[in-house]
Amino acid sequence: MTAPHKISVIITTYNRPDALEAVVRACFDQSDRGFEIIVTDDGSGEATRACMARLMAESPVPIQHVWQADQGFRLNLARNRGILASSGDYILILDGDCIPQRDYIAQHRRLAEPGFMVTGSRILLSPGFTARALAARSDLHALGVSELLRLRTGGDINKLLQLLVKLPDVGRRKDRFTFRRIKGCNMAMWRADIARVNGFDASFTGWGYDDSDMTLRLFNAGVMRKDGAFATEVFHLWHREAPRDQESGNKQIVLDRVGRKTIAPVRGLDQTGSE
């Protein structure tokens, strides 16, 4: 099996510097240091710029801050900008409110296989626990079994076993496209495969199904999927849900592309400008 030479972690963010700092510092603590960080920013203000200046001064790995003007929800355009700024042969897409475990890079490297992408997994945190963890700058990796059990029984995390057990790369392959367990907050794919489908589709409007679209177009191009559960879990900090008024329309776009076996986006990497 061919392992990635260099991994690029593309972290998306928008005006949440406390969460972003927790995510990036967790990347600093990775057991595998063969990666770079690209923070791709959908128009955040001065607080995020100041946060990134601090982090860039301290980073033990190469790091960049890629910013675009705030012109509404343009997540996929930001992702494409991050990909273009990166240099790795394997790309991890990570949201700026998803704190990786210390073996996050190592686990994704272990699951990487030519011809496959990986959809990662997440642990949801409650509003209260999120606020406490960020305020105290808690090291979530240091939580012991008894503390994790208390958090699970108290409803502060929604899963426990996935934090205690790491499963081998067996039985993870999906032989057909399904919407189940696609999480855009935690995805991995080969750079060459991203180029084959011309990146994320920046024509999507509002929240929803942009991650499913990318997974589907990769599938239509012959790239299969692996399920990253029990290996790649991240701690997903609570936030208010984004407006979902475009959700049904976005899903219909993806459903239409299932039948048409669409590969190319309406607006992809090659149309990513500098605005």
Side-chain angles (χ1 to χ4, degrees):
M1 186 179 297
T2 303
H5 173 67
K6 181 180 180 181
I7 291 175
S8 297
V9 183
I10 312 294
I11 302 175
T12 57
T13 192
Y14 177 69
N15 281 332
R16 201 176 179 193
D18 57 345
L20 176 64
E21 182 154 1
V23 172
V24 174
R25 290 196 181 279
C27 289
F28 291 173
D29 290 337
Q30 291 296 298
S31 59
D32 181 331
R33 292 292 181 88
F35 69 98
E36 65 176 354
I37 299 170
I38 314 293
V39 174
T40 185
D41 189 338
D42 193 15
S44 298
E46 185 55 39
T48 296
R49 291 180 187 272
C51 173
M52 283 304 304
R54 292 194 304 272
L55 293 169
M56 292 170 75
E58 300 175 28
S59 182
V61 297
I63 185 171
Q64 297 182 57
H65 182 203
V66 177
W67 184 88
Q68 66 186 23
D70 186 357
Q71 297 178 9
F73 188 88
R74 300 194 296 167
L75 176 61
N76 276 356
L77 182 61
R79 285 169 171 162
N80 283 346
R81 289 193 198 287
I83 291 165
L84 289 174
S86 68
S87 60
D89 57 333
Y90 198 66
I91 308 294
L92 305 188
I93 305 294
L94 181 66
D95 275 4
D97 55 10
C98 290
I99 300 176
Q101 298 183 77
R102 284 200 176 96
D103 62 350
Y104 174 76
I105 300 293
Q107 290 291 346
H108 267 295
R109 191 185 297 276
R110 179 174 67 89
L111 296 183
E113 180 180 351
F116 288 86
M117 66 169 297
V118 176
T119 50
S121 184
R122 63 180 181 171
I123 308 295
L124 299 178
L125 275 59
S126 71
F129 182 47
T130 294
R132 296 194 303 273
L134 289 177
R137 297 191 176 185
S138 301
D139 182 0
L140 299 181
H141 318 291
L143 296 171
V145 175
S146 60
E147 179 66 6
L148 289 171
L149 180 59
R150 185 187 68 78
L151 291 168
R152 180 69 184 95
T153 56
D156 284 319
I157 57 175
N158 73 326
K159 299 174 186 176
L160 176 60
L161 190 59
Q162 288 86 339
L163 291 171
L164 303 178
V165 177
K166 303 289 185 182
L167 296 179
D169 188 7
V170 176
R172 296 184 178 275
R173 298 182 178 189
K174 307 296 181 184
D175 59 2
R176 61 186 179 88
F177 174 76
T178 172
F179 286 98
R180 189 167 183 266
R181 288 188 174 177
I182 297 176
K183 304 297 182 188
C185 63
N186 182 6
M187 305 173 75
M189 56 204 80
W190 293 91
R191 185 183 203 89
D193 292 334
I194 294 173
R196 287 171 66 184
V197 301
N198 198 14
F200 286 87
D201 193 339
S203 73
F204 270 68
T205 302
W207 182 93
Y209 292 96
D210 47 281
D211 45 8
S212 297
D213 174 72
M214 183 63 163
T215 304
L216 170 68
R217 289 187 293 107
L218 284 166
F219 177 80
N220 289 343
V223 179
M224 301 294 104
R225 176 160 67 108
K226 286 184 178 182
D227 186 344
F230 289 92
T232 63
E233 277 71 23
V234 296
F235 294 100
H236 195 159
L237 301 167
W238 180 86
H239 58 83
R240 296 186 186 280
E241 288 189 348
R244 301 194 173 191
D245 51 308
Q246 300 295 324
E247 178 179 4
S248 60
N250 287 350
K251 184 174 184 179
Q252 189 58 52
I253 291 171
V254 180
L255 289 172
D256 291 344
R257 290 176 174 183
V258 171
R260 296 199 306 267
K261 300 188 182 303
T262 300
I263 293 175
V266 172
R267 186 182 177 199
L269 276 174
D270 62 358
Q271 295 169 288
T272 302
S274 59
E275 75 275 8

